[in-house]
């Protein structure tokens, strides 16, 4: 059984969260993430965090695969101490013993920051994790030939890693979809690839697509099953700007407003803000407002929730620029924090 040299000792089934390395300082206004380091089947999982805020309380939740850990079993609560990067080992709840895949979520109690991932509850205790990779893989839809193929452009994928390509019904995030093929990223973090649409999905209006690896990394999106050469507007590079814009949900007032905090937005760019039903990624949603990103990077902004979405439990929100840059997320329509 593979054992990480950073596995923490669990005595008398009491979780111990210990800093194993000198913590790196937290990069201000950076979204916290964590990767899976090691797994002991039906016993514990070890993670490695990055960019966590200092001196904040987090709940550790585990649940069924595909839930993102939302509403999962609370395993423990811990304090981030000096924040940044640290290792932690958490017990797998008895109710999840025997599961092949398990979702894990770190949810801030006194901070809006959260992070989630998933892992194989591997019978050999070998998660196949990649030690020198950081960040989050993502991809966009480049083009579609109806009922035939879809082409994607991928960004920030771990190198030399095998990914299964799955497609399924819209709204499933591709989980348990049809396995189209398996690819290896080789020495490329960014790449373009084309995949055949399964016969069983031909004729569907919208299709979910997912790339997932046995090492725990995944990314998903969806597309209209209609021939086009430009599913999303081509991105016009912004001089001096690199990366992918993202945002997280900072606060919600039920049926009233949602507040977001951005990260790595291009400067002086107009973004159309739309909200819509869950799983739509905000595409085709109600146009709420158009805002300018100003100096870009990090900023906080609140938006009114459209009356047509009042009462919805979950709402999608999207920021889309004419030059092709976009970011989307979703939120529970409940007052938070």
């Amino acid at each position: 059984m593979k054992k990480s040299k950073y596995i923490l000792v669990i005595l008398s089934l009491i979780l111990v969260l210990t800093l194993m390395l000198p913590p790196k300082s937290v990069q201000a206004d950076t979204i916290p993430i964590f990767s899976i380091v090691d797994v002991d089947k039906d016993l514990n999982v070890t993670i490695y965090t990055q960019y966590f805020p200092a001196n904040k309380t987090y709940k550790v939740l585990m649940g069924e695969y595909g839930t993102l850990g939302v509403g999962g079993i609370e395993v423990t609560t811990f304090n981030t101490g000096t924040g940044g990067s640290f290792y932690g080992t958490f017990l797998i709840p008895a109710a999840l013993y025997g599961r092949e895949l398990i979702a894990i979520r770190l949810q801030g109690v006194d901070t809006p920051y959260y992070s989630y991932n998933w892992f194989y509850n591997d019978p050999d205790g070998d998660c196949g994790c990649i030690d020198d990779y950081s960040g989050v893989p993502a991809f966009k839809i480049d083009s579609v030939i109806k009922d035939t193929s879809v082409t994607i452009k991928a960004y920030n994928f771990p190198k030399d890693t095998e990914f299964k390509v799955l497609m399924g019904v819209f709204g499933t995030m591709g989980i348990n979809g049809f396995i189209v093929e398996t690819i290896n990223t080789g020495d490329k973090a960014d790449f373009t690839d084309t995949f055949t649409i399964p016969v069983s999905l031909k004729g569907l209006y919208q299709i979910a697509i997912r790339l997932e690896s046995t090492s725990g990394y995944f990314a998903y999106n969806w597309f209209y099953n209609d021939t086009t050469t430009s599913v999303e507007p081509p991105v016009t590079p912004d001089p001096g700007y690199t990366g992918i814009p993202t945002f997280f949900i900072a606060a919600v007032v039920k049926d009233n407003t949602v507040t977001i905090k951005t990260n790595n937005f291009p400067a002086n760019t107009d973004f159309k803000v739309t909200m819509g039903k869950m799983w739509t990624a905000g595409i085709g949603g109600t146009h709420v407002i158009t805002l300018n990103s100003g100096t870009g990077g990090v900023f906080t902004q609140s938006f009114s929730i459209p009356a047509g979405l009042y009462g919805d439990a979950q709402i999608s929100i999207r920021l889309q620029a004419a030059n092709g840059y976009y970011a989307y997320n979703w939120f529970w329509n409940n007052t938070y924090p």
Side-chain angles (χ1 to χ4, degrees), residues 9 31 35 39 75 90 101 141 146 165 197 239 257 270 296 321-322 329:
V9 178
I31 296 174
S35 56
V39 178
V75 176
F90 308 106
L101 304 168
I141 306 301
K146 184 177 181 180
V165 181
I197 295 173
T257 61
D270 286 335
N329 209 326

Side-chain angles (χ1 to χ4, degrees), residues 65-66 101 118 139 164-180 198 201 206-212 218-223 279:
Y65 176 66
L101 304 168
W118 63 274
F139 67 88
K164 290 188 297 184
V165 181
L166 304 99
M167 294 190 205
V169 176
F170 176 69
T172 63
M173 298 182 286
I175 296 172
N176 296 324
F178 295 96
I179 299 177
V180 176
L201 299 179
Q206 296 159 293
I207 297 174
I209 178 172
R210 183 184 192 90
L211 273 67
E212 68 178 32
F218 67 94
Y220 59 86
N221 209 326
W222 64 273
F223 59 92
W279 309 121

Side-chain angles (χ1 to χ4, degrees), residues 92-108:
I92 296 173
L96 297 175
Y97 287 178
R99 297 292 197 278
E100 180 183 8
L101 304 168
I102 297 175
I104 177 172
R105 184 182 190 91
L106 273 61
Q107 179 71 58

Side-chain angles (χ1 to χ4, degrees), residues 249-259 302-306 310 315 331-337:
I249 308 301
V252 178
V253 178
K254 183 178 180 179
D255 290 339
N256 192 345
T257 61
V258 58
T259 300
S302 296
F303 310 108
S304 297
I305 296 173
Y310 287 179
I315 297 174
F331 59 93
W332 291 99
N333 186 20
N334 286 318
T335 299
Y336 170 84

Side-chain angles (χ1 to χ4, degrees), residues 61 117 137 152 187 199 243:
L61 306 166
N117 209 326
I152 69 168
D187 61 354
V199 174

